[in-house]
């Protein structure tokens, strides 16, 4: 008679999901080598996308896998391939929330949308802080239970304000900074410090209708399309690599106030999409452009 209670029960090893992104000079054998390394690490590829830029000769790849192999072991096996092909690469746990600091001034639409999407579980980010140069949005931060940091900015205090921001980024281990209608121009030094990890949103009229009340300016000119652009922050104002854009049609029957309302909705959607793609490791930099594996 078999004693079932004495039989050893083997618990299957837990499976983990990872996302591998890489770029390098385009050359034969990259996909074969990467796939082989993943196979040796007992990985099941669940999604794979590649792109070779024929102009720059750069190859880009994003691979999602499931495996029982521990992160450290998988990382070490991929490091061999990375050295062989001189890869620029990252390996991240699937769905791990990206620690994201949000900056805003007075307009609430983009901030509110990001906070709602994060709270509902749609946006894979963790928000440890909201920073503003005004106090207007503190009630919104309090509603969501997120620490609000008031850092005023004047011409005389700009350097100190940016130093305080960078200190907060370091203290909170922030991975991404989102400018959700933050109406201050960042210094070149700050842009350099946040290169590749700061996203901004603005209307898509640029270089037209600069300055205050752009939607009113556009309404006065009778434009037929309005929209928004989300891009990485660079020292060249509003000219960083573009992540996402959206446009919608307007017509002569829309008032200037309607332009503003419709524009805010597009800005919020566009910024949220850009943040989501960044947090899901779908955006790779390609010089002044981006490759987005949507």
């Amino acid at each position: 008679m078999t004693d079932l209670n004495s039989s050893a029960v083997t618990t299957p090893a837990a499976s983990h999901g990872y996302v591998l992104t890489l770029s390098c000079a385009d050359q034969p054998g990259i996909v074969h080598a990467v796939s082989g390394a993943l196979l040796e690490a007992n990985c099941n590829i669940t999604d794979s996308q590649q792109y070779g830029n024929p102009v720059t000769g750069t190859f880009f790849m994003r691979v999602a896998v499931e495996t029982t192999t521990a992160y450290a072991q998988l990382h070490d096996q991929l490091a061999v391939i990375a050295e062989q092909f001189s890869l620029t690469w990252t390996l991240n746990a699937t769905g791990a929330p990206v620690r994201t600091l949000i900056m805003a001034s007075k307009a609430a639409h983009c901030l509110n949308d990001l906070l709602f999407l994060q709270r509902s579980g749609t946006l894979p980010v963790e928000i440890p802080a909201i920073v503003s140069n005004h106090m207007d949005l503190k009630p919104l931060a309090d509603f969501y239970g997120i620490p609000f940091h008031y850092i005023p900015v004047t011409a005389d205090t700009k350097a100190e304000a940016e130093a305080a921001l960078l200190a907060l980024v370091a203290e909170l281990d922030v991975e991404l900074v989102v400018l959700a209608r933050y109406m201050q121009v960042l210094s070149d030094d700050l842009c350099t410090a946040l290169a590749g990890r700061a996203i901004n949103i603005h209307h898509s009229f640029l270089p037209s209708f600069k300055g205050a009340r752009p939607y009113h300016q556009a309404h006065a000119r009778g434009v037929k399309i309005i929209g928004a652009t989300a891009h990485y922050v660079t020292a060249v104002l509003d000219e960083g690599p573009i992540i996402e854009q959206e446009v919608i049609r307007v017509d002569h029957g829309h008032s200037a106030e309607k332009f503003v309302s419709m524009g805010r909705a597009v800005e919020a959607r566009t910024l949220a999409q850009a943040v989501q793609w960044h947090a899901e490791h779908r955006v790779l930099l390609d010089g002044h452009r981006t490759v987005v594996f949507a």
Side-chain angles (χ1 to χ4, degrees), residues 107-114 117 181 201-204 215 226-230 244-250 256-274:
H109 55 289
C110 287
L111 174 62
N112 185 61
D113 197 49
L114 292 171
L117 292 173
R181 300 299 291 165
I201 184 71
H202 60 69
H203 62 77
S204 286
Y215 291 104
I226 63 174
T229 295
E244 173 65 334
Q245 292 178 296
E246 182 181 340
V247 295
I248 55 174
R249 295 198 64 83
V250 293
E257 289 70 25
K258 184 65 173 178
F259 270 40
V260 173
S261 175
M262 295 171 69
R264 285 175 175 170
V266 176
E267 288 171 4
R269 286 197 303 271
T270 304
L271 181 59
Q273 183 64 84

Side-chain angles (χ1 to χ4, degrees), residues 209-217:
F209 312 131
K210 293 182 179 180
R213 297 163 65 86
Y215 291 104
H216 289 76
Q217 295 180 54

Side-chain angles (χ1 to χ4, degrees), residues 11-158:
T11 302
S15 181
H16 307 283
Y18 298 103
V19 175
L20 167 67
T21 63
L22 63 90
S23 63
C24 64
D26 203 352
Q27 56 197 290
I30 303 171
V31 175
H32 180 270
V34 171
S35 300
L38 293 173
L39 178 61
E40 289 182 11
N42 194 35
C43 293
N44 178 42
I45 296 176
T46 58
D47 183 65
S48 180
Q49 299 180 73
Q50 304 93 37
Y51 169 69
N53 187 330
V55 177
T56 64
T58 306
F59 177 79
F60 302 87
M61 188 174 186
R62 179 186 186 273
V63 187
V65 302
E66 291 286 338
T67 182
T68 56
T69 302
Y71 176 91
Q73 181 182 343
L74 177 57
H75 187 279
D76 289 346
Q77 290 187 235
L78 290 171
V80 177
I81 304 300
E83 183 176 0
Q84 178 183 351
F85 288 92
S86 299
L87 304 182
T88 298
W89 65 296
T90 64
L91 181 67
N92 296 278
T94 302
V98 174
R99 289 182 63 80
T100 302
L101 182 149
I102 304 178
M103 304 182 70
S105 290
K106 292 185 176 182
H109 55 289
C110 287
L111 174 62
N112 185 61
D113 197 49
L114 292 171
L115 295 177
F116 174 79
L117 292 173
Q118 189 275 335
R119 175 70 63 85
S120 65
T122 303
L123 201 61
V125 300
E126 178 183 359
I127 305 173
I130 295 169
V131 170
S132 181
N133 56 325
H134 297 278
M135 292 295 294
D136 302 56
L137 299 176
K138 187 178 186 304
L140 182 59
D142 292 343
F143 175 80
Y144 280 96
I146 297 176
F148 181 87
H149 298 263
Y150 172 54
I151 304 180
V153 182
T154 67
D156 294 333
T157 64
K158 189 178 185 68

Side-chain angles (χ1 to χ4, degrees), residues 176-254:
L176 176 66
V177 173
V178 177
L179 278 61
R181 300 299 291 165
Y182 180 69
M183 307 307 291
Q184 287 287 323
V185 177
L186 306 187
S187 70
D188 291 359
D189 289 344
L190 182 57
C191 291
T192 299
L194 298 177
R197 56 187 183 126
I199 296 175
N200 187 32
I201 184 71
H202 60 69
H203 62 77
S204 286
F205 300 131
L206 295 175
S208 300
F209 312 131
K210 293 182 179 180
R213 297 163 65 86
Y215 291 104
H216 289 76
Q217 295 180 54
H219 180 267
R221 286 291 302 274
V223 303
K224 304 307 179 189
I225 293 176
I226 63 174
T229 295
H231 65 91
Y232 286 114
V233 174
T234 63
V236 183
L237 182 62
D238 290 334
E239 294 189 22
I242 294 171
I243 304 169
E244 173 65 334
Q245 292 178 296
E246 182 181 340
V247 295
I248 55 174
R249 295 198 64 83
V250 293
D251 61 40
H252 59 276
H254 292 130

